[in-house]
């Protein structure tokens, strides 16, 4: 058997600097296993409660508290009679932007009707109420016909003029029709006087 010549040895200093091997990352805690049908996962912690600063703006009181604690939440948006319809439109836009469905909302006016209601009524009452019954869009009604409207999760009232009796009727109907939220846009003094009169 032939002898293989010995390979020359290279001195360590001639090999260059040694590079330490890259360390493997140390695994951290593993996320909880997701739940699968038939096999519940670990309970998830509840999200932290939302807190508001102490000096945050407080809503304007809207009269005496309702006797029925299970009734809709009441929000008052201060506005002049001339600006009440614009305030109601802004409230509707904010609700739509927050993901609320258009069919969830009913808007009632105490003074001049909303331009949409005037336009739709020009095609006849049957067409106007058919859109209400379809329930797929915001529905606008005047105080005079609001009693015919069905319940919706959100009712917005624009106290944009009209006699006190119309405002009282609109607020009474709105409270009865609102499932979760009642927003009243108008002059707080007028609204409080109507609410204080027993609406």
């Amino acid at each position: 058997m032939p002898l293989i010549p010995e390979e020359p040895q290279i001195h360590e200093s001639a090999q260059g600097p040694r590079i330490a091997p890259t360390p493997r990352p140390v695994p951290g805690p593993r996320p909880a296993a997701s739940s699968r049908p038939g096999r519940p996962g670990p309970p998830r912690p509840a999200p932290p409660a939302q807190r508001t600063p102490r000096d945050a703006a407080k809503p304007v009181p809207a009269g005496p508290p309702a006797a029925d604690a299970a009734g809709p939440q009441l929000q008052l948006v201060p506005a002049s009679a001339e600006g009440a319809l614009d305030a109601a439109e802004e409230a509707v836009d904010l609700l739509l932007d927050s993901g609320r469905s258009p069919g969830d909302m009913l808007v009632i006016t105490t003074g001049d009707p909303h331009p949409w209601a005037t336009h739709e009524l020009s095609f006849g009452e049957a067409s106007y109420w058919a859109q209400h019954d379809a329930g797929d869009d915001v529905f606008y009604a005047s105080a005079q016909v609001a009693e015919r409207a069905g319940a919706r999760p959100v009712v917005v009232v624009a106290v944009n003029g009209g006699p006190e009796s119309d405002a009282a009727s609109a607020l009474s109907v709105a409270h009865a029709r609102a499932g979760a939220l009642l927003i009243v846009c108008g002059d707080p003094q007028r609204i409080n006087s109507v609410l204080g009169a027993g609406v």
Side-chain angles (χ1 to χ4, degrees):
M1 188 159 123
L3 289 174
I4 300 175
E6 198 175 304
E7 291 185 23
Q9 296 223 341
I10 300 174
H11 194 271
E12 282 187 29
S13 63
Q15 291 178 357
R18 286 190 164 209
I19 300 174
T22 306
R24 284 183 48 187
V26 177
R30 293 184 176 203
S34 62
S35 49
R36 292 177 227 160
R39 188 171 156 203
R44 295 185 179 198
Q50 296 295 322
R51 307 215 184 269
T52 57
R54 287 184 184 189
D55 58 348
K58 302 217 183 315
V60 178
D68 180 15
Q73 177 187 350
L74 178 64
Q75 290 183 2
L76 178 62
V77 178
S80 65
E82 298 78 27
L85 196 56
D86 289 337
E89 282 294 314
E90 189 172 323
V92 168
D93 288 344
L94 288 171
L95 288 165
L96 291 171
D97 289 345
S98 71
R100 181 67 77 168
S101 169
D104 286 354
M105 292 179 267
L106 168 66
V107 178
I108 301 173
T109 58
T110 63
D112 291 335
H114 189 278
W116 179 91
T118 303
H119 173 75
E120 292 303 318
L121 280 167
S122 69
F123 297 107
E125 283 206 26
S127 172
Y128 173 74
W129 288 107
Q131 291 193 11
H132 168 271
D133 296 340
D136 55 3
D137 205 352
V138 179
F139 189 77
Y140 297 87
S142 66
Q144 294 82 14
V145 299
E147 203 164 298
R148 185 173 166 187
R152 299 243 175 147
V154 178
V155 177
V156 180
V157 179
V159 184
N160 61 332
E164 290 293 316
S165 60
D166 283 354
S169 171
L171 290 171
S172 177
V173 168
H175 189 269
R177 301 295 187 271
L181 179 61
L182 171 57
I183 301 173
V184 183
C185 306
D187 176 31
Q189 286 184 330
R190 182 174 184 203
I191 293 165
N192 282 330
S193 70
V194 172
L195 289 173
V199 174

